[in-house]
Amino acid sequence: MKRTLPLLMAIVALTGIMALWVPDGRFLTPANLLDLVQQIAVNAILAFGLTLVILIGGIDLSVGAVVALVGTVAVAVLIPAGWVAAALCGLAVAGLFGWINGLCASRTRMPPFIITLATMLVARGLALRFNEGRPLPVPNQERVFLAMGNARVFDLIPVPVLLMLGAFVVTGVLLHRTAFGQHLYAIGGNREAARFTGIRLARNETVVYVLCSLLAGLAGLIHASQLYSAEPGSGQGFELNAIAAVVVGGTSFTGGTGTLPGTLLGAIIIGILDKGLNQAGVHFSLQYVIKGAVILTAVYLDVRRHQAA
């Protein structure tokens, strides 16, 4: 609660600022707020996976490209084989990239930054090979697949939000209520100490990268559904927004500190910034400047917190 309260206060303050800044009171309308939470879903799901990775002192830059690749694979399989096969194939591709990232990070001395930068390029290149880089439309009769990103339960609650909450609960229980989660905190806090206590570093690290990629796969399925097509060039910069949500949410870049509720609140803050600045008519170049300043402030506060501890 000690770390959550400042984030809640930041959300209230940002919402108030945007309510005053966006013309005609459009920001606080129910339709706009529902649209906001729907837009947050993809970034939040990516951020949940990245929280696990950053907690152990790693990083995964490939998630944005995996979103695009999973979308193209799923839609390519969707037409001949149906939505179940499409989802399974998409998630299998995501899991394969996670396994490669985890294996390289845990079994070699290569830094995760370089490993995932390389797999990001591989995933992006493979996505662009589909249909020569052109979008693959989702047929209108594929209602289940389209519902994943666009339907609303009781004409009110967006399905992507329910999927995001499901991912939040599963990942949160895994992180905060299991021995596996405690091992991740131990690895991030002191890797050598964790090794001497018998924690299997390589296995845990590989599982973390696989989970991160699977969550990116889920985000890719939702994103393709929301776009009504697979866009091989989509997902660019998604990894940066997700990392921003994780850092703003209080997860330390040095590992060992952070919570999943903090990440969810961080994703909400980034979402309010994105939507509010767009609706206020702020030029996109200034939006980058503002988001960069927010991330820099969050990292600075994290460093100060570590120095004070």
Side-chain angles (χ1 to χ4, degrees):
M1 192 64 190
K2 185 179 175 182
R3 292 187 174 183
T4 305
L5 188 59
L7 294 171
L8 290 171
M9 292 170 63
I11 290 173
V12 172
L14 268 177
T15 304
I17 292 170
M18 295 304 173
L20 295 172
W21 196 0
V22 174
D24 304 324
R26 284 184 289 125
F27 191 77
L28 285 183
T29 61
N32 193 56
L33 293 178
L34 276 174
D35 190 48
L36 171 65
V37 293
Q38 185 161 344
Q39 287 183 12
I40 288 170
V42 167
N43 188 38
I45 292 170
L46 290 175
F48 296 156
L50 275 165
T51 301
L52 304 180
V53 174
I54 293 174
L55 266 178
I56 62 169
I59 192 70
D60 188 347
L61 299 178
S62 67
V63 292
V66 168
V67 165
L69 179 60
V70 167
T72 52
V73 169
V75 175
V77 174
L78 180 64
I79 297 169
W83 71 271
V84 174
L88 291 176
C89 286
L91 292 175
V93 169
L96 176 63
F97 270 83
W99 180 73
I100 293 170
N101 286 337
L103 198 66
C104 292
S106 62
R107 301 288 183 183
T108 73
R109 292 183 178 274
M110 291 189 290
F113 179 88
I114 301 300
I115 295 166
T116 56
L117 178 66
T119 53
M120 176 187 78
L121 294 173
V122 172
R124 179 65 63 193
L126 291 174
L128 291 171
R129 285 295 297 170
F130 275 86
N131 205 28
E132 298 181 350
R134 295 192 298 271
L136 290 168
V138 178
N140 288 332
Q141 61 267 30
E142 296 294 344
R143 294 180 179 175
V144 175
F145 190 85
L146 290 172
M148 195 182 302
N150 303 288
R152 294 190 175 187
V153 177
F154 305 122
D155 288 330
L156 179 66
I157 306 170
V159 170
V161 176
L162 294 177
L163 292 172
M164 177 193 73
L165 292 176
F168 172 74
V169 170
V170 172
T171 314
V173 168
L174 198 62
L175 181 60
H176 298 298
R177 291 289 184 269
T178 67
F180 171 73
Q182 295 305 309
H183 290 171
L184 301 190
Y185 281 105
I187 293 170
N190 190 321
R191 193 177 180 86
E192 286 309 308
R195 186 196 307 276
F196 285 122
T197 58
I199 294 174
R200 299 176 71 174
L201 300 185
R203 187 183 69 175
N204 283 301
E205 199 166 357
T206 304
V207 170
V208 163
Y209 278 96
V210 170
L211 288 173
C212 181
S213 278
L214 287 175
L215 286 166
L218 174 61
L221 295 173
I222 296 172
H223 190 58
S225 174
Q226 287 177 328
L227 295 176
Y228 289 85
S229 68
E231 304 277 352
S234 67
Q236 296 192 26
F238 279 22
E239 63 279 358
L240 301 181
N241 270 344
I243 290 170
V246 176
V247 174
V248 169
T251 298
S252 173
F253 239 104
T254 55
T257 306
T259 65
L260 214 63
T263 295
L264 178 60
L265 296 176
I268 293 172
I269 289 172
I270 297 297
I272 292 173
L273 273 175
D274 275 338
K275 192 166 187 64
L277 293 174
N278 269 327
Q279 291 187 317
V282 176
H283 193 269
F284 72 92
S285 57
L286 287 178
Q287 293 184 28
Y288 283 119
V289 174
I290 293 170
K291 285 168 63 177
V294 169
I295 295 168
L296 197 61
T297 304
V299 174
Y300 174 73
L301 292 175
D302 176 53
V303 171
R304 287 290 301 271
R305 191 166 57 232
H306 274 80
Q307 287 175 341

